[in-house]
């Protein structure tokens, strides 16, 4: 892996769109601190009537707008190179200042919630642009603590973020992988190389050797990583107890605007009803590859690796435009801008965050991180992240900063929708059986496996962890390993051997530091699958409804947003229909494989 300094500039994102220089960044930081002081002097202890309520929310909104690019710049600069000392120190400095600003401005929420609810309702009517924010405040009222406690908790913001930072430092800075050896030949290994290449390697001996080497290195850090995670869990438990939630689940689901029934349903039904379909898929992969047995280390390999084409970054642009053109001219223009203006960081380098993500700072264009491997399946990864980008590109244009971000429950629907649209485009582009099999197998292995299996199994494991924490317990590496292995064995049954090292999969995901996030992937994809099928039958009308949903941002809860798109998630039917759809895709794979073999 090369150093960040050796990466071609055209493969990197352009953070100067946030700040032209370090001087501009420092100036913005000083302005934010000065605006904080002014906000405190103007409003603290003086919020007493409708006019002052509207004024303080407006001024706080302006401060919030200034803080967003500051935090984004510091975090993005660090995400592409965790080994960069300057980026580390800048991110730490910004974290401390943000925590201080959060503490100083915590009076805004506290004083607003001390007011009579009727007065808040009146302010909501006078300034309807703030009504969503005010209604959300009222909803939080039962769980609000004394103003001085809220201020103290806000001041500890960076401390509470410490476990996540420690996790990333352990994973991306301290953890060094040695080369692994197969038949006397050595091969390089890193987090990004394993997850981007070796996990998909069609040579079974190399793939399994890479898995063993990768797992052995994870094992060296399992106790530190488990202790780090437990610190995070105990912080969440303490916060839940202090605020008076009935359980840690209720605390973590509160901001998602859904109850435990939707959360549990997603996990329970998929564990029971999707598992038979995925076991069938695993056996098909084993048969096609002629494997002696199907192990956990073999689950990510493509059905037909010799067929998968390579693709350049520039070629991916046309795929994005062709595959997502149904979304309209404005959306396609955004896709062009993302390439022309360098919104995307494609590079592979030491210290770069693993996986892919999209950051969408309000008032600025989105940024996408991806480590480009030139594999064709990266088209789906990029389409996914551009789905997030397109969502917030539209939401930010149509909503204020308080209204633009929807519930986490809904957040993965626009991204996975793009994967479905891309798959549909590819399927229509060829009648060749082998190509169709590649596309459908990629939908299964990338879109559904990743979101309905990988992340759902994280969610099932995570639920077991939180059940322990909710009862006042703690976790360590032995407990986490057992919980993870139990979930994997339950889902895969006897069809897949859960080999040594699979139990350490809990160490690989940062999602566990983001609350009840993993299950939302399957929730989002359930909505996306149903809307995608509606687009196939209704065309432009369904697309227009979907665009309205994206523009609505966070002005409605997940149930209402899904309803706008024609999906009723208050029932289990959309989820069951989606699982049936996945089963039909696997039917097609079996039929196409038989056709190809004959």
């Amino acid at each position: 892996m090369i150093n960040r300094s050796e990466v071609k500039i055209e493969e990197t994102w352009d953070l100067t769109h946030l700040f032209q220089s370090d001087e501009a960044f420092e100036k913005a930081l000083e302005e934010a601190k000065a605006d904080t002081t002014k906000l405190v002097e103007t409003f603290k202890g003086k919020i007493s009537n409708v006019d002052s309520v509207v004024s303080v929310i407006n001024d706080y909104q302006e401060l919030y707008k200034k803080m967003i690019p500051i935090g984004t710049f510091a975090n993005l600069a660090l995400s592409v190179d965790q080994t960069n000392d300057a980026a580390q120190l800048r991110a730490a400095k910004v974290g401390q200042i943000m925590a201080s600003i959060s503490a100083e401005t915590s009076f805004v929420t506290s004083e607003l919630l001390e007011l009579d609810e009727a007065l808040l309702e009146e302010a909501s009517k006078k300034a309807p642009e703030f009504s969503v924010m005010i209604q959300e405040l009222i909803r939080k009222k039962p769980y609000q603590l004394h103003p001085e406690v809220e201020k103290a908790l806000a001041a500890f913001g960076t401390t509470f973020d410490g476990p996540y930072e420690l996790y990333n430092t352990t994973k991306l800075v301290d953890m060094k992988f040695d080369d692994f050896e197969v038949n006397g030949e050595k091969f390089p290994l890193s987090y990004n190389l394993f997850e981007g290449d070796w996990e998909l390697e069609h040579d079974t001996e190399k793939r399994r050797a890479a898995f063993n080497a990768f797992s052995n290195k994870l094992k060296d850090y399992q106790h530190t990583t488990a202790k780090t995670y437990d610190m995070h869990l105990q912080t969440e438990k303490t916060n839940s107890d202090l605020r008076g939630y009935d359980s840690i689940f209720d605390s973590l689901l509160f901001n998602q605007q859904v109850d435990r029934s939707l959360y549990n349903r997603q996990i329970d039904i998929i564990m029971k009803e999707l598992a038979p379909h995925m076991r069938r898929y695993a056996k098909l992969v084993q048969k096609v590859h002629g494997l002696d047995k199907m192990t956990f280390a073999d689950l990510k390999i493509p059905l037909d690796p010799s067929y998968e084409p390579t693709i350049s970054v520039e070629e991916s642009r046309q795929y994005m435009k062709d595959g997502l053109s149904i979304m309209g001219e404005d959306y396609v223009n955004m896709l062009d801008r993302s390439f022309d203006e360098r919104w995307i960081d494609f590079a592979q380098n030491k210290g770069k965050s693993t996986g892919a993500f999209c950051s969408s700072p309000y008032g600025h264009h989105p940024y996408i991180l991806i480590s480009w491997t030139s594999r064709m399946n990266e088209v789906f990864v990029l389409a996914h992240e551009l789905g997030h980008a397109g969502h917030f590109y539209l939401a930010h244009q149509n909503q204020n900063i308080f209204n633009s971000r929807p519930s986490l429950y809904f957040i993965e629907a626009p991204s996975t929708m793009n994967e479905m649209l891309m798959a549909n485009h590819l399927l229509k582009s060829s009648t060749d059986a082998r190509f169709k099999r590649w596309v459908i197998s990629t939908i299964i292995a990338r879109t559904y496996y990743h979101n309905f299996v990988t992340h759902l199994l994280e969610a099932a494991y995570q639920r077991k962890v939180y059940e322990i924490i909710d009862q006042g317990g703690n976790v360590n590496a032995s407990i986490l390993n057992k919980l993870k292995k139990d979930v994997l064995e339950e889902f895969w049954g006897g069809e897949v051997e859960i080999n040594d090292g699979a139990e350490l999969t809990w160490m690989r995901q940062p999602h566990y530091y983001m609350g009840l996030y993993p299950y939302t992937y399957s929730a989002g994809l359930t909505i996306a699958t149903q809307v995608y099928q509606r687009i196939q039958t209704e065309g432009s009308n369904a697309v227009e409804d979907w665009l309205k949903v994206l523009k609505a941002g966070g002005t409605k809860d997940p149930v209402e947003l899904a309803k706008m798109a024609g999906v009723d998630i208050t029932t289990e039917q959309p989820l069951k229909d989606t699982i049936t759809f996945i089963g039909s895709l696997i039917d097609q794979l079996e039929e196409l494989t038989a056709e190809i073999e004959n």
Side-chain angles (χ1 to χ4, degrees):
M1 295 289 283
I2 60 175
N3 294 316
R4 182 68 179 180
S5 59
E6 300 171 276
V7 172
K8 296 176 182 177
I9 193 169
E10 59 268 24
E11 295 180 0
T12 66
W13 51 30
D14 186 357
L15 296 184
T16 63
H17 297 162
L18 292 170
F19 294 103
Q20 284 289 330
S21 63
D22 288 344
E23 291 75 19
F25 173 79
E26 292 296 335
K27 182 181 178 183
L29 205 51
E30 292 305 314
E31 287 179 356
K33 289 193 284 187
D35 288 352
T36 301
T37 301
K38 183 179 178 182
L39 186 77
V40 174
E41 291 173 349
T42 304
F43 293 105
K44 190 170 184 180
K46 303 169 187 175
I47 308 173
S48 58
N49 54 40
V50 170
D51 288 340
S52 59
V53 168
V54 174
S55 294
V56 73
I57 293 175
N58 185 70
D59 287 9
Y60 180 70
Q61 175 183 234
E62 295 308 310
L63 174 60
Y64 193 15
K65 286 180 185 176
K66 289 186 177 181
M67 292 167 63
I68 291 291
I70 292 170
T72 301
F73 181 84
N75 290 330
L76 293 185
L78 181 61
S79 70
V80 292
D81 189 3
Q82 298 271 349
T83 68
N84 185 306
D85 288 343
Q88 287 178 9
L89 293 173
R90 177 170 50 211
K93 174 185 175 182
V94 168
Q96 290 287 357
I97 292 173
M98 290 294 193
S100 175
I101 289 175
S102 183
E104 289 299 309
T105 58
S106 65
F107 79 90
V108 175
T109 298
S110 295
E111 290 192 23
L112 288 173
L113 289 182
E114 287 176 347
L115 298 173
D116 188 80
E117 194 170 314
L119 192 151
L120 291 175
E121 293 285 4
E122 191 178 341
S124 180
K125 291 175 183 176
K126 181 169 183 177
E129 67 273 22
F130 298 143
S131 63
V132 173
M133 184 260 201
I134 291 173
Q135 292 305 317
E136 190 60 18
L137 273 178
I138 293 172
R139 200 168 71 91
K140 288 180 179 178
K141 199 164 187 173
Y143 308 106
Q144 186 74 2
L145 302 174
H146 187 279
E148 289 304 313
V149 177
E150 292 290 351
K151 183 176 180 179
L153 290 174
F156 274 103
T158 52
T159 305
F160 296 149
D161 290 339
Y164 178 54
E165 300 302 325
L166 180 56
Y167 167 79
N168 275 327
T169 301
T170 303
K171 173 181 174 180
L172 301 171
V173 180
D174 286 345
M175 201 178 290
K176 307 294 184 189
F177 293 86
D178 297 326
D179 293 349
F180 67 96
E181 189 172 314
V182 177
N183 297 325
E185 186 177 0
K186 291 187 175 182
F187 301 92
L189 184 62
S190 70
Y191 242 105
N192 276 320
L193 282 174
F194 178 74
E195 294 186 342
D197 284 309
W198 293 121
E199 201 170 28
L200 312 173
E201 169 62 42
H202 64 87
D203 185 307
T204 299
E205 201 168 357
K206 290 179 186 176
R207 181 179 65 257
R208 290 178 179 174
F211 179 86
N212 290 335
F214 182 75
S215 299
N216 287 335
K217 180 55 65 175
L218 291 184
K219 194 174 295 183
D220 291 341
Y221 290 85
Q222 63 179 318
H223 299 294
T224 298
T225 306
K227 187 63 179 177
T228 300
Y229 183 37
D230 188 59
M231 288 166 56
H232 171 76
L233 293 167
Q234 298 307 323
T235 300
E236 289 181 319
K237 170 63 172 168
T238 301
N239 180 69
S240 173
D241 290 346
L242 281 175
R243 295 190 180 281
Y245 287 97
D246 291 338
S247 74
I248 195 169
F249 293 98
D250 296 317
S251 170
L252 295 172
L253 289 171
F254 183 85
N255 287 333
Q256 293 187 22
Q257 300 172 300
V258 294
D259 60 31
R260 288 181 72 175
S261 65
L262 269 69
Y263 166 71
N264 286 325
R265 181 179 71 199
Q266 207 70 24
I267 297 172
D268 293 338
I269 291 179
I270 293 177
M271 286 293 291
K272 180 182 177 182
E273 298 188 17
L274 180 64
H277 294 303
M278 294 310 299
R279 291 171 191 169
R280 194 155 49 95
Y281 171 73
K283 296 305 289 184
L284 179 63
V285 172
Q286 179 183 0
K287 175 189 171 188
V288 170
H289 284 267
L291 299 177
D292 57 331
K293 58 184 176 179
M294 192 67 182
T295 75
F296 184 80
D298 304 318
L299 284 169
K300 294 289 185 71
I301 54 175
L303 197 59
D304 191 354
S306 64
Y307 187 82
E308 182 175 7
T310 57
I311 182 172
S312 69
V313 166
E314 190 52 40
E315 287 170 332
S316 72
R317 178 204 288 246
Q318 197 58 48
Y319 275 99
M320 295 303 113
K321 292 174 66 175
D322 292 344
L324 304 176
S325 62
I326 194 171
M327 295 291 287
E329 185 178 352
D330 185 39
Y331 202 94
V332 173
N333 288 339
M334 179 213 71
L335 299 175
D336 271 329
R337 284 186 62 196
S338 71
F339 284 86
D340 293 336
E341 300 173 16
R342 287 174 46 215
W343 299 4
I344 308 168
D345 199 275
F346 292 98
Q348 287 205 48
N349 58 264
K350 292 177 183 175
K352 185 173 180 179
S353 294
T354 59
F357 68 73
C358 177
S359 175
S360 301
Y362 189 88
H364 300 267
H365 66 69
Y367 284 90
I368 290 171
L369 178 142
I370 186 173
S371 295
W372 195 257
T373 64
S374 297
R375 292 177 183 269
M376 186 68 174
N377 71 3
E378 298 284 18
V379 165
F380 289 90
V381 181
L382 186 54
H384 179 104
E385 299 307 333
L386 283 166
H388 287 305
H391 184 190
F392 289 107
Y393 176 81
L394 294 171
H396 291 344
Q397 285 180 344
N398 290 274
Q399 305 297 336
N400 67 35
I401 196 168
F402 297 127
N403 296 358
S404 64
R405 184 165 288 273
S407 157
L408 196 63
Y409 185 94
F410 189 82
I411 215 80
E412 293 298 338
S415 53
T416 48
M417 165 63 81
N418 273 17
E419 293 189 53
M420 299 303 297
L421 293 176
M422 182 59 64
N424 184 64
H425 164 69
L426 292 173
L427 284 172
K428 286 184 175 180
S429 69
S430 174
T431 57
D432 179 70
R434 201 171 172 197
F435 181 76
K436 288 173 75 71
R437 184 176 73 165
W438 176 81
V439 174
I440 295 171
S441 67
T442 303
I443 300 171
I444 294 294
R446 167 48 233 173
T447 303
Y448 284 106
Y449 186 101
H450 191 62
N451 299 302
F452 251 77
V453 180
T454 298
H455 293 319
L456 194 282
L457 292 179
E458 290 171 8
Y461 150 83
Q462 189 184 42
R463 184 169 64 175
K464 292 177 182 291
V465 171
Y466 277 118
E467 285 169 352
I468 293 172
I469 301 302
D470 210 36
Q471 296 301 314
N474 292 76
V475 293
N476 59 20
S478 297
I479 292 172
L480 296 175
N481 288 342
K482 183 179 186 306
L483 291 177
K484 188 64 182 179
K485 188 171 185 179
D486 287 348
V487 167
L488 293 174
E489 289 180 337
E490 179 186 349
F491 186 83
W492 292 110
E495 305 300 324
V496 176
E497 178 185 310
I498 308 303
N499 48 311
D500 289 344
E503 74 281 0
L504 297 168
T505 308
W506 64 267
M507 295 179 64
R508 293 168 54 180
Q509 281 291 359
H511 292 158
Y512 304 128
Y513 297 84
M514 303 172 187
L516 298 178
Y517 182 28
Y519 91 101
T520 66
Y521 280 86
S522 64
L525 186 49
T526 298
I527 296 169
T529 301
Q530 298 308 303
V531 177
Y532 161 76
Q533 291 181 310
R534 190 179 159 219
I535 287 174
Q536 299 314 300
T537 57
E538 298 180 33
S540 59
N541 288 338
V543 173
E544 285 303 312
D545 285 347
W546 185 239
L547 289 171
K548 289 175 184 175
V549 169
L550 301 185
K551 292 173 183 177
T555 57
K556 299 181 184 297
D557 66 33
V559 171
E560 293 171 317
L561 288 172
K563 187 176 181 180
M564 283 177 67
V567 183
D568 182 6
I569 60 171
T570 63
T571 76
E572 63 184 21
Q573 201 56 48
L575 177 55
K576 286 180 171 286
D577 289 346
T578 299
I579 291 172
T580 299
F581 176 69
I582 297 171
S584 72
L585 292 177
I586 295 171
D587 290 342
Q588 291 180 59
L589 286 183
E590 291 173 334
E591 292 164 6
L592 287 166
T593 297
E595 180 183 337
I596 292 165
E597 289 177 348
N598 290 334

